[in-house]
Amino acid sequence: MNAPANLTAVLLVVAVTVGIGGYGLRSRSTPDFYVASRTVSPLRNAAAVSGEYVSAASYLGIAGLLATYGSTMLWYGIGYTAGYLVLLVLVAAPLRRSGAYTVSDFAEARLGSMAVRRTATVFVVLIGLLYQVPQLVGAGLALHTALGAPAWSGTVLVAAVVLVSVITGGMRSVTLVQSVQYWLKLTALAVPALALLLVWRGVWHPSGGPSPLPVAHAAGGHDGGQGLYGVYSLMVALFLGTMGLPHVTARFYTNPDGRAARRTTVGVLGLLGVFYLLPEVYGGLGRLYAPGPAAADRAADTEVLLLPGRLVPGTTGQLLTALVVAGAFAAFLSACSGLALSVAAVLSQDLFGGDVRGFRRAAAPAVLVPCAIALLLSGSGMSVAHEVGLIFSVAASTFCPLLVLGIWWRRLTAAGAVAGMLVGGGLSAAALTLTLLGVGGTGWVGALLAEPAAWSVPAAFLTMVGGSLLTPGRVPAAASVMLARLHLPEALAAGPADRSAADGDRSSAVPARSSRDGHH
């Protein structure tokens, strides 16, 4: 690889990120830092959501898994996109109408319970921190592949840039950065993909040597019933886990109203649908032109970075590679920024006072803790896409039941919600831990642990429903009013009904905060 060109690409992405983030210096108020004062247009928000959602798993991991295991891995791209369809139908508009800043705010306002808020906060922090780890590990791997630099340097570089962006501008600046980075990532994959397809079809014969001949790939796939179970369980995790990702749900609080939240989600479906055509191109060509089977899933994650130079020799191939490297670092930065924002928001609300100063204080652990974990796990051999899939299982097993039942079922109680989150989150988190430790092997036990969503999500729903039915006397008195607020258009739900939905000792926090930014 051409290290100078790749280094220039990385530095340009960092400079653009920091430069555009300077716009965030205009952020001064609490609403600016938490929800960009709820003034983000649907088109910009759709690009920002897509920008932070297209992470290391999407940019590097899907192509690597396709190159290694074949067409079964196409479900990753489908699942990542289809999760927004479920979110559009069930969650997007009501969640915006709640007036919340965070999932913890929503949970407390809906159920009037500090126990629910604290439980939700724990899982927001857990998911947000764990999701950053594969992004930071991927950054180290990419920098090592592109420049030959130590893996830790990429991890530290991304963490430092993210910390500066979050502290200086909060949601306002990060929104603008992520919307620009989506288009950068799309271009960085699309232009080399077009060139590679021209080479593959024989339309373009680059100078410097003939096109490489296709080589049979010997990597195996998944077997029998275990493989089929893994596909279905992965679909459950990706379809239902999207709504449980704290950095995704936080985006819908920045829309002006529920209608804008729905329009944002439709835009996201279109933008992601276009983007996820591209990793399949790299994965398919990588499977055809790879010099041999990948030694490990982590090695396969470099397929996107290596393929342009493999098919297009000379200066042109080096420039295409540099473009791909630039897009990869945009993916790491945008995903980590959104995750750090979501974690800092809930930590600030619950531990640091909830103001701008508290937000900035909370940003440090939100970035530095996953950075430390990533440095410890940098030698792991697991694919970033599979690691992210496991985290989707945790999200689907905790916040999906809470949001769906909280929005659509009046009889949900605080006791049921806490029990469901603890059961679903505990089971999926235990499976994630055991999988990372290598427990289970290749049999059914290993398959059930590697893809736990098929059993952990139903367990969470059943526990949440059962716990609520066993505590009928604890249904919040204002449940009907709150549900009206979630489902009626803002013009009809505003006024005294809005205020009464906030009855309770701490549940008034959401409407009170909303009133400060003019959307109560």
Side-chain angles (χ1 to χ4, degrees), residues 42-51 53 80-81 83-85 87 182 242 248 251-252 261-276:
L43 180 59
R44 176 175 289 182
N45 216 10
V49 173
S50 303
Y53 192 65
Y80 285 146
T81 306
Y84 279 92
L85 182 59
L87 193 151
Y182 168 78
T242 300
V248 169
R251 277 274 155 222
F252 292 94
R262 283 201 176 100
R263 292 173 62 192
T264 293
T265 312
V266 173
V268 171
L269 282 167
L271 294 178
L272 291 182
V274 171
F275 180 87
Y276 281 117

Side-chain angles (χ1 to χ4, degrees), residues 20 23 44 48 171-181:
I20 297 177
Y23 171 81
R44 176 175 289 182
M171 182 65 83
R172 180 183 291 275
S173 67
V174 169
T175 295
L176 182 58
V177 170
Q178 289 174 333
S179 62
V180 171
Q181 286 175 334

Side-chain angles (χ1 to χ4, degrees), residues 114-411:
M114 280 299 297
V116 175
R117 181 186 183 90
R118 292 191 183 102
T119 306
T121 295
V122 169
F123 282 109
V124 167
V125 173
L126 176 66
I127 293 168
L129 294 181
L130 290 178
Y131 204 157
Q132 286 185 76
V133 172
Q135 318 305 319
L136 295 169
V137 171
L141 177 68
L143 201 66
H144 176 71
T145 302
L147 304 178
W152 62 263
S153 59
T155 299
V156 172
L157 174 63
V158 169
V161 175
V162 168
L163 185 59
V164 170
S165 299
V166 172
I167 287 177
T168 55
M171 182 65 83
R172 180 183 291 275
S173 67
V174 169
T175 295
L176 182 58
V177 170
Q178 289 174 333
S179 62
V180 171
Q181 286 175 334
Y182 168 78
W183 299 108
L184 171 59
K185 286 181 279 191
L186 183 67
T187 303
L189 275 191
V191 172
L194 178 60
L196 298 181
L197 287 173
L198 292 176
V199 173
W200 171 57
R201 297 301 299 170
V203 176
W204 177 33
H205 301 280
S207 60
S211 301
L213 296 175
V215 178
H217 201 291
H222 300 286
D223 298 325
Q226 296 169 26
L228 187 61
Y229 162 81
V231 170
Y232 284 123
S233 188
L234 176 66
M235 290 300 95
V236 172
L238 299 183
F239 277 46
L240 302 182
T242 300
M243 72 176 71
L245 297 177
H247 64 305
V248 169
T249 54
R251 277 274 155 222
F252 292 94
Y253 308 136
T254 66
N255 284 118
D257 51 40
R259 181 171 178 268
R262 283 201 176 100
R263 292 173 62 192
T264 293
T265 312
V266 173
V268 171
L269 282 167
L271 294 178
L272 291 182
V274 171
F275 180 87
Y276 281 117
L277 294 173
L278 300 174
E280 277 72 6
V281 172
Y282 286 85
L285 293 178
R287 191 167 176 82
L288 285 174
Y289 290 91
D297 285 345
R298 182 69 78 202
D301 288 333
T302 63
E303 189 64 41
V304 170
L305 304 177
L306 297 174
L307 193 61
R310 192 179 299 148
L311 270 69
V312 183
T315 303
T316 303
Q318 293 172 358
L319 293 176
L320 292 176
T321 299
L323 187 58
V324 173
V325 170
F329 269 83
F332 306 140
L333 290 169
S334 58
C336 285
S337 296
L339 290 160
L341 270 172
S342 63
V343 174
V346 296
L347 288 177
S348 173
Q349 294 276 349
D350 291 331
L351 298 178
F352 298 106
D355 57 5
V356 172
R357 179 178 296 179
F359 182 92
R360 286 171 166 160
R361 290 171 61 193
V367 175
L368 298 180
V369 170
C371 179
I373 298 173
L375 292 174
L376 292 175
L377 297 180
S378 59
S380 170
M382 185 178 293
S383 163
V384 293
H386 186 63
E387 289 178 8
V388 168
L390 287 170
I391 297 164
F392 267 73
S393 297
V394 179
S397 303
T398 50
F399 293 126
C400 172
L402 175 68
L403 292 172
V404 171
L405 296 177
I407 290 171
W408 296 99
W409 192 44
R410 178 187 175 279
R411 299 174 66 184

